[in-house]
Amino acid sequence: MKQGWEIKSLGEIADVEYGFTDKSTEEGDYRYVRITDIDDNGELISTEKKYLKHSKEAASFLLQDNDLLMARTGATFAKVLLYEDVEPSVFASYLIRIKFKEKIDNKLYWYFSKTKAYWDQANSLASGAAQPHFNGAALKQVIFSYPKSLPEQQRIVSILDDAFAA
């Protein structure tokens, strides 16, 4: 932990939003990003896509480039996806969108979600044994430490990008 870093609960620095519930189809206007679309690395699976037809309600759950989504139940519980805008997409109800209220690089949090510190918290805050549940209330309790400076956050992300690419 370095000087100039914050230590805050996610509830202090972010809003959480549950996804949209609807019946998916093979074709439609929006890709329907579901809990099963997040792989073990926290990346979007590009096969077996499902879709939704346009509706005013569905449109309010449209994803933006670099949105963070967290799986809240089952085998993928607590896995975090950093969404890359590849096509118009809506996120499903077993996912939670994390929206920072402060200047925080979403990719820094995504990298944090791969650490032992994150998973220790996720496992202790989850409920249920056979099917773990990690809801918005539990997510808001996760403690996240990060540099106050956005350029410093971006510098760290760049180092991590290079390290993972190698």
Side-chain angles (χ1 to χ4, degrees):
M1 177 71 150
K2 296 184 179 181
Q3 186 176 357
W5 283 46
E6 296 284 339
I7 302 173
K8 294 189 176 179
S9 71
L10 211 57
E12 294 177 87
I13 57 174
D15 292 321
V16 297
E17 175 188 12
Y18 288 91
F20 182 64
T21 303
D22 202 355
K23 184 175 167 78
S24 62
T25 60
E26 298 301 316
E27 295 180 358
D29 303 301
Y30 305 127
R31 178 171 180 183
Y32 195 38
V33 177
R34 304 155 298 152
I35 197 168
T36 55
D37 293 330
I38 301 175
D39 73 11
D40 289 339
N41 296 319
E43 296 177 2
L44 187 63
I45 297 169
S46 61
T47 57
E48 300 181 31
K49 297 178 187 181
K50 297 294 181 185
Y51 290 88
L52 298 175
K53 298 289 185 196
H54 171 78
S55 73
K56 189 175 183 178
E57 189 176 2
S60 66
F61 293 89
L62 274 171
L63 291 168
Q64 303 298 315
D65 193 36
N66 290 320
D67 269 351
L68 289 168
L69 298 175
M70 188 207 68
R72 61 185 181 109
T73 190
T76 59
F77 95 96
K79 287 206 167 94
V80 176
L81 167 71
L82 182 68
Y83 176 78
E84 294 178 346
D85 189 12
V86 292
E87 63 186 304
S89 300
V90 168
F91 66 107
S93 61
Y94 281 100
L95 295 170
I96 298 174
R97 178 167 33 196
I98 302 167
K99 290 205 143 224
F100 288 109
K101 300 181 275 190
E102 298 185 10
K103 290 186 178 179
I104 296 174
D105 188 314
N106 283 0
K107 197 165 192 183
L108 182 67
Y109 187 83
W110 182 72
Y111 277 124
F112 167 68
S113 75
K114 298 174 177 307
T115 67
K116 182 180 184 314
Y118 172 80
W119 282 100
D120 286 349
Q121 292 181 75
N123 285 316
S124 71
L125 293 167
S127 61
Q131 284 280 45
H133 300 283
F134 194 59
N135 63 20
L139 178 60
K140 287 180 179 182
Q141 295 178 55
V142 169
I143 302 300
F144 178 47
S145 81
Y146 58 95
K148 288 182 196 178
S149 161
L150 186 58
E152 179 65 7
Q153 293 174 34
Q154 293 165 334
R155 186 185 74 78
I156 292 168
V157 165
S158 178
I159 291 167
L160 291 170
D161 283 346
D162 290 346
F164 279 90

